[in-house]
Amino acid sequence: LAKTTQPISMDSYEGQEVNITCSHNNIATNDYITWYQQFPSQGPRFIIQGYKTKVTNEVASLFIPADRKSSTLSLPRVSLSDTAVYYCLVGVGQAGTALIFGKGTTLSVSS
Amino acid sequence: DSGVTQTPKHLITATGQRVTLRCSPRSGDLSVYWYQQSLDQGLQFLIQYYNGEERAKGNILERFSAQQFPDLHSELNLSSLELGDSALYFCASSVPLGHEQFFGPGTRLTVL
């Protein structure tokens, strides 16, 4: 499984755009990149998934360069409620496989 | 609300005891996963079941076991409990060919 590296923590203010970058140098050809969000004492929640280029949904965008060795989760105009831990996962190319979580990035949003 | 339910929400017990955690997946989901989250280890995959059969094993101790029943609900049994087993236990489910996993609210286990 590809190992991922992401910042341990990030700070932001309400209304700003936040970009969290994840490094995954050993990503395999059939691996997808997936991001989950977790609030304290709650289960992780799926945010977005992509394979290459750019994916956008109602809450975030995911940018993946051509070499796919990194990816960037972009959260537009964050609010206090976006304070959470964000996990970057790689290696779910086969549907129905277990998720391997790293340490994640703790995002703190203040007013 | 993810649609995955877990009971009980909280469980307090003593060392050496045995407990059972229960999970009901989302309607139609055949896969059930169990994860343990402790402060020092983070989120760890324990075991996966698919339509009643064990599919994959992660860092699950021999003192722990699980099963998935014909109605697709799953139970995680933890025995000979130790202080270090205190953690949040999450159950997740997914559709057969889906990448996204839906997590339940978790069961907080405290071993005294």
PDB file of all heavy atoms in Angstrom, chain B residues 95-110:
ATOM      1  N   VAL B  95     -21.208  -0.536  -0.145  1.00  0.00           N
ATOM      2  CA  VAL B  95     -21.903  -1.307  -1.166  1.00  0.00           C
ATOM      3  C   VAL B  95     -20.899  -2.240  -1.818  1.00  0.00           C
ATOM      4  O   VAL B  95     -19.694  -2.022  -1.722  1.00  0.00           O
ATOM      5  CB  VAL B  95     -22.557  -0.400  -2.230  1.00  0.00           C
ATOM      6  CG1 VAL B  95     -23.609   0.470  -1.585  1.00  0.00           C
ATOM      7  CG2 VAL B  95     -21.518   0.436  -2.940  1.00  0.00           C
ATOM      8  N   PRO B  96     -21.359  -3.310  -2.474  1.00  0.00           N
ATOM      9  CA  PRO B  96     -20.444  -4.319  -3.008  1.00  0.00           C
ATOM     10  C   PRO B  96     -19.312  -3.776  -3.880  1.00  0.00           C
ATOM     11  O   PRO B  96     -18.183  -4.198  -3.750  1.00  0.00           O
ATOM     12  CB  PRO B  96     -21.371  -5.225  -3.816  1.00  0.00           C
ATOM     13  CG  PRO B  96     -22.678  -5.127  -3.123  1.00  0.00           C
ATOM     14  CD  PRO B  96     -22.770  -3.709  -2.649  1.00  0.00           C
ATOM     15  N   LEU B  97     -19.603  -2.833  -4.745  1.00  0.00           N
ATOM     16  CA  LEU B  97     -18.548  -2.356  -5.633  1.00  0.00           C
ATOM     17  C   LEU B  97     -18.200  -0.902  -5.353  1.00  0.00           C
ATOM     18  O   LEU B  97     -17.648  -0.215  -6.201  1.00  0.00           O
ATOM     19  CB  LEU B  97     -18.988  -2.509  -7.089  1.00  0.00           C
ATOM     20  CG  LEU B  97     -19.226  -3.951  -7.539  1.00  0.00           C
ATOM     21  CD1 LEU B  97     -19.677  -4.000  -8.975  1.00  0.00           C
ATOM     22  CD2 LEU B  97     -17.940  -4.773  -7.358  1.00  0.00           C
ATOM     23  N   GLY B  98     -18.513  -0.443  -4.162  1.00  0.00           N
ATOM     24  CA  GLY B  98     -18.285   0.959  -3.851  1.00  0.00           C
ATOM     25  C   GLY B  98     -16.990   1.185  -3.104  1.00  0.00           C
ATOM     26  O   GLY B  98     -16.551   0.354  -2.327  1.00  0.00           O
ATOM     27  N   HIS B  99     -16.367   2.322  -3.327  1.00  0.00           N
ATOM     28  CA  HIS B  99     -15.154   2.671  -2.607  1.00  0.00           C
ATOM     29  C   HIS B  99     -15.465   3.368  -1.296  1.00  0.00           C
ATOM     30  O   HIS B  99     -14.702   3.282  -0.356  1.00  0.00           O
ATOM     31  CB  HIS B  99     -14.290   3.600  -3.462  1.00  0.00           C
ATOM     32  CG  HIS B  99     -13.753   2.962  -4.694  1.00  0.00           C
ATOM     33  ND1 HIS B  99     -14.411   2.935  -5.886  1.00  0.00           N
ATOM     34  CD2 HIS B  99     -12.601   2.296  -4.901  1.00  0.00           C
ATOM     35  CE1 HIS B  99     -13.697   2.299  -6.780  1.00  0.00           C
ATOM     36  NE2 HIS B  99     -12.586   1.894  -6.220  1.00  0.00           N
ATOM     37  N   GLU B 100     -16.578   4.061  -1.237  1.00  0.00           N
ATOM     38  CA  GLU B 100     -16.876   4.852  -0.058  1.00  0.00           C
ATOM     39  C   GLU B 100     -17.368   3.969   1.068  1.00  0.00           C
ATOM     40  O   GLU B 100     -18.210   3.080   0.867  1.00  0.00           O
ATOM     41  CB  GLU B 100     -17.946   5.891  -0.390  1.00  0.00           C
ATOM     42  CG  GLU B 100     -18.324   6.796   0.772  1.00  0.00           C
ATOM     43  CD  GLU B 100     -19.359   7.830   0.389  1.00  0.00           C
ATOM     44  OE1 GLU B 100     -19.660   7.956  -0.814  1.00  0.00           O
ATOM     45  OE2 GLU B 100     -19.870   8.509   1.292  1.00  0.00           O
ATOM     46  N   GLN B 101     -16.840   4.216   2.265  1.00  0.00           N
ATOM     47  CA  GLN B 101     -17.310   3.518   3.450  1.00  0.00           C
ATOM     48  C   GLN B 101     -18.087   4.490   4.322  1.00  0.00           C
ATOM     49  O   GLN B 101     -17.687   5.639   4.487  1.00  0.00           O
ATOM     50  CB  GLN B 101     -16.133   2.920   4.230  1.00  0.00           C
ATOM     51  CG  GLN B 101     -15.477   1.768   3.484  1.00  0.00           C
ATOM     52  CD  GLN B 101     -14.425   1.056   4.294  1.00  0.00           C
ATOM     53  OE1 GLN B 101     -14.363   1.151   5.516  1.00  0.00           O
ATOM     54  NE2 GLN B 101     -13.578   0.315   3.601  1.00  0.00           N
ATOM     55  N   PHE B 102     -19.162   3.994   4.893  1.00  0.00           N
ATOM     56  CA  PHE B 102     -20.028   4.788   5.751  1.00  0.00           C
ATOM     57  C   PHE B 102     -19.830   4.311   7.189  1.00  0.00           C
ATOM     58  O   PHE B 102     -20.050   3.133   7.483  1.00  0.00           O
ATOM     59  CB  PHE B 102     -21.488   4.643   5.318  1.00  0.00           C
ATOM     60  CG  PHE B 102     -21.736   5.131   3.920  1.00  0.00           C
ATOM     61  CD1 PHE B 102     -21.530   4.301   2.834  1.00  0.00           C
ATOM     62  CD2 PHE B 102     -22.147   6.438   3.701  1.00  0.00           C
ATOM     63  CE1 PHE B 102     -21.741   4.753   1.538  1.00  0.00           C
ATOM     64  CE2 PHE B 102     -22.366   6.894   2.408  1.00  0.00           C
ATOM     65  CZ  PHE B 102     -22.163   6.055   1.323  1.00  0.00           C
ATOM     66  N   PHE B 103     -19.417   5.231   8.040  1.00  0.00           N
ATOM     67  CA  PHE B 103     -19.076   4.873   9.404  1.00  0.00           C
ATOM     68  C   PHE B 103     -20.237   5.108  10.362  1.00  0.00           C
ATOM     69  O   PHE B 103     -20.971   6.097  10.231  1.00  0.00           O
ATOM     70  CB  PHE B 103     -17.869   5.686   9.886  1.00  0.00           C
ATOM     71  CG  PHE B 103     -16.559   5.190   9.339  1.00  0.00           C
ATOM     72  CD1 PHE B 103     -16.181   5.460   8.039  1.00  0.00           C
ATOM     73  CD2 PHE B 103     -15.700   4.442  10.138  1.00  0.00           C
ATOM     74  CE1 PHE B 103     -14.977   4.997   7.526  1.00  0.00           C
ATOM     75  CE2 PHE B 103     -14.489   3.983   9.644  1.00  0.00           C
ATOM     76  CZ  PHE B 103     -14.133   4.255   8.338  1.00  0.00           C
ATOM     77  N   GLY B 104     -20.363   4.224  11.326  1.00  0.00           N
ATOM     78  CA  GLY B 104     -21.328   4.406  12.388  1.00  0.00           C
ATOM     79  C   GLY B 104     -20.816   5.385  13.423  1.00  0.00           C
ATOM     80  O   GLY B 104     -19.686   5.869  13.327  1.00  0.00           O
ATOM     81  N   PRO B 105     -21.625   5.676  14.442  1.00  0.00           N
ATOM     82  CA  PRO B 105     -21.248   6.657  15.465  1.00  0.00           C
ATOM     83  C   PRO B 105     -20.217   6.141  16.460  1.00  0.00           C
ATOM     84  O   PRO B 105     -19.661   6.911  17.228  1.00  0.00           O
ATOM     85  CB  PRO B 105     -22.573   6.959  16.168  1.00  0.00           C
ATOM     86  CG  PRO B 105     -23.369   5.719  15.967  1.00  0.00           C
ATOM     87  CD  PRO B 105     -22.986   5.188  14.629  1.00  0.00           C
ATOM     88  N   GLY B 106     -19.969   4.841  16.437  1.00  0.00           N
ATOM     89  CA  GLY B 106     -18.949   4.279  17.312  1.00  0.00           C
ATOM     90  C   GLY B 106     -19.472   3.826  18.663  1.00  0.00           C
ATOM     91  O   GLY B 106     -20.535   4.258  19.129  1.00  0.00           O
ATOM     92  N   THR B 107     -18.718   2.930  19.274  1.00  0.00           N
ATOM     93  CA  THR B 107     -18.955   2.504  20.663  1.00  0.00           C
ATOM     94  C   THR B 107     -17.704   2.848  21.440  1.00  0.00           C
ATOM     95  O   THR B 107     -16.604   2.437  21.078  1.00  0.00           O
ATOM     96  CB  THR B 107     -19.198   0.984  20.756  1.00  0.00           C
ATOM     97  OG1 THR B 107     -20.434   0.647  20.128  1.00  0.00           O
ATOM     98  CG2 THR B 107     -19.231   0.542  22.218  1.00  0.00           C
ATOM     99  N   ARG B 108     -17.897   3.623  22.503  1.00  0.00           N
ATOM    100  CA  ARG B 108     -16.753   3.973  23.348  1.00  0.00           C
ATOM    101  C   ARG B 108     -16.638   2.937  24.457  1.00  0.00           C
ATOM    102  O   ARG B 108     -17.517   2.836  25.305  1.00  0.00           O
ATOM    103  CB  ARG B 108     -16.898   5.366  23.938  1.00  0.00           C
ATOM    104  CG  ARG B 108     -15.679   5.770  24.786  1.00  0.00           C
ATOM    105  CD  ARG B 108     -15.748   7.203  25.268  1.00  0.00           C
ATOM    106  NE  ARG B 108     -15.631   8.177  24.183  1.00  0.00           N
ATOM    107  CZ  ARG B 108     -14.487   8.531  23.607  1.00  0.00           C
ATOM    108  NH1 ARG B 108     -13.337   7.978  24.003  1.00  0.00           N
ATOM    109  NH2 ARG B 108     -14.482   9.430  22.657  1.00  0.00           N
ATOM    110  N   LEU B 109     -15.554   2.195  24.433  1.00  0.00           N
ATOM    111  CA  LEU B 109     -15.302   1.168  25.446  1.00  0.00           C
ATOM    112  C   LEU B 109     -14.280   1.675  26.448  1.00  0.00           C
ATOM    113  O   LEU B 109     -13.201   2.138  26.061  1.00  0.00           O
ATOM    114  CB  LEU B 109     -14.776  -0.115  24.790  1.00  0.00           C
ATOM    115  CG  LEU B 109     -14.317  -1.216  25.745  1.00  0.00           C
ATOM    116  CD1 LEU B 109     -15.499  -1.769  26.532  1.00  0.00           C
ATOM    117  CD2 LEU B 109     -13.600  -2.330  24.992  1.00  0.00           C
ATOM    118  N   THR B 110     -14.637   1.601  27.707  1.00  0.00           N
ATOM    119  CA  THR B 110     -13.723   1.957  28.784  1.00  0.00           C
ATOM    120  C   THR B 110     -13.505   0.728  29.657  1.00  0.00           C
ATOM    121  O   THR B 110     -14.465   0.157  30.182  1.00  0.00           O
ATOM    122  CB  THR B 110     -14.286   3.098  29.648  1.00  0.00           C
ATOM    123  OG1 THR B 110     -14.538   4.230  28.810  1.00  0.00           O
ATOM    124  CG2 THR B 110     -13.293   3.488  30.731  1.00  0.00           C
TER     125      THR B 110
END
